[in-house]
Amino acid sequence: MNKNQLKNYRMFLAVQNTIDQNTTIWSGHPKFTETKQQFDLEIDGIEQLGEEASRTTKGKTRDKNQIRAILEKKLVVLSGTVSAYAAITSNETLQNTVITSKAALEAKKETDLVIYSHTLVKQAEALQEVLTNEYGMTTSELEDIKTTTAEFKPLIGNAKPEQSAINAAKRNIDDHVQQGKFLLKEILDKLMIRYQFTDITFFNEYQQSRTIVDV
């Protein structure tokens, strides 16, 4: 991670720790809980990509097959969600495009797997509101699939990740940082206002954790 990414990441961890230590205060607040879960996913994404970006082509790199297996797992989860929606709404056209078998995904050619990923994510994005509200599929999960797909695509035909994949990981860290900052500034900061009047200790601890410290 670069210096700016690292500063924000450390601030994210401080916020996460403060909120986790005060679970009993906000756990009954559905929107706070949902946003906290999304924020945790952004931190997870930064950590995963941070490990990838810190590697070099000369060092030990994650095998392409491992990345594909991760992508297949994520696609099976999303496929299952979309398939359930299609079944409930009697959408046979959509149902026929969804692959819920991991074995079937494993049998796909690398390029076909990437195409399927792009297609499935677009279908899910078109249904984002209902999938989030009724099926628990968040925008962060879709972005995570996009990130993994982008990580896998440059490796097609290669035995190991090349520098381009590592550079892509560095760029994608910025995406998670920006989304994390959005969740804080536009949602969590505003949801925290109530605690300025109902639990000033929690509010003050949160405000302190939001401070970015130079590294």
Side-chain angles (χ1 to χ4, degrees):
M1 283 184 274
N2 61 38
K3 186 175 181 179
N4 184 61
Q5 291 169 342
L6 185 58
K7 286 195 296 184
N8 280 283
Y9 170 62
R10 289 184 173 179
M11 182 267 288
F12 287 179
L13 291 180
V15 171
Q16 183 184 54
N17 182 61
T18 296
I19 295 176
D20 285 343
Q21 290 182 347
N22 292 276
T23 303
T24 56
I25 298 174
W26 55 265
S27 59
H29 191 323
K31 185 54 65 175
F32 196 108
T33 300
E34 177 186 333
T35 307
K36 169 59 164 59
Q37 291 172 343
Q38 294 174 354
F39 183 62
D40 287 344
L41 287 174
E42 299 306 329
I43 293 176
D44 289 343
I46 292 171
E47 291 172 347
Q48 293 172 13
L49 289 169
E51 292 179 3
E52 202 66 35
S54 67
R55 302 179 190 277
T56 65
T57 54
K58 295 180 180 179
K60 182 179 180 182
T61 57
R62 186 163 57 177
D63 186 83
K64 178 179 68 174
N65 291 333
Q66 289 179 293
I67 300 174
R68 173 167 181 154
I70 292 170
L71 176 59
E72 289 168 350
K73 180 180 178 180
K74 294 174 182 178
L75 290 176
V76 166
V77 173
L78 179 58
S79 295
T81 303
V82 174
S83 180
Y85 166 83
I88 291 173
T89 58
S90 300
N91 189 334
E92 293 185 9
T93 300
L94 177 60
Q95 185 74 279
N96 291 334
T97 66
V98 180
I99 302 172
T100 57
S101 166
K102 192 169 187 301
L105 290 177
E106 290 173 344
K108 276 187 170 294
K109 294 181 179 179
E110 294 174 344
T111 52
D112 291 339
L113 182 66
V114 170
I115 291 172
Y116 176 71
S117 178
H118 288 317
T119 301
L120 182 64
V121 168
K122 286 183 179 179
Q123 291 171 326
E125 287 178 331
L127 303 167
Q128 183 66 69
E129 184 173 357
V130 66
L131 292 185
T132 297
N133 294 337
E134 300 180 20
Y135 295 82
M137 181 59 64
T138 67
T139 56
S140 294
E141 289 177 278
L142 296 184
E143 290 301 319
D144 189 40
I145 291 176
K146 288 182 182 179
T147 297
T148 306
T149 303
E151 183 182 2
F152 176 70
K153 188 175 179 180
L155 310 181
I156 293 177
N158 297 325
K160 293 183 178 180
E162 299 294 340
Q163 188 63 47
S164 59
I166 297 172
N167 293 338
K170 292 179 181 178
R171 291 193 298 271
N172 288 328
I173 288 175
D174 272 333
D175 294 337
H176 287 290
V177 169
Q178 292 305 315
Q179 182 61 17
K181 290 169 67 175
F182 170 81
L183 292 171
L184 288 175
K185 181 179 179 180
E186 301 299 333
I187 304 178
L188 286 176
D189 284 357
K190 294 173 182 178
L191 294 179
M192 281 297 302
I193 292 174
R194 70 160 58 203
Y195 300 112
Q196 185 176 3
F197 305 99
T198 61
D199 197 307
I200 190 61
T201 300
F202 176 34
F203 178 81
N204 287 339
E205 289 176 353
Y206 176 84
Q207 291 297 106
Q208 181 62 34
S209 70
R210 287 282 279 114
T211 303
I212 295 180
V213 179
D214 285 335
V215 293

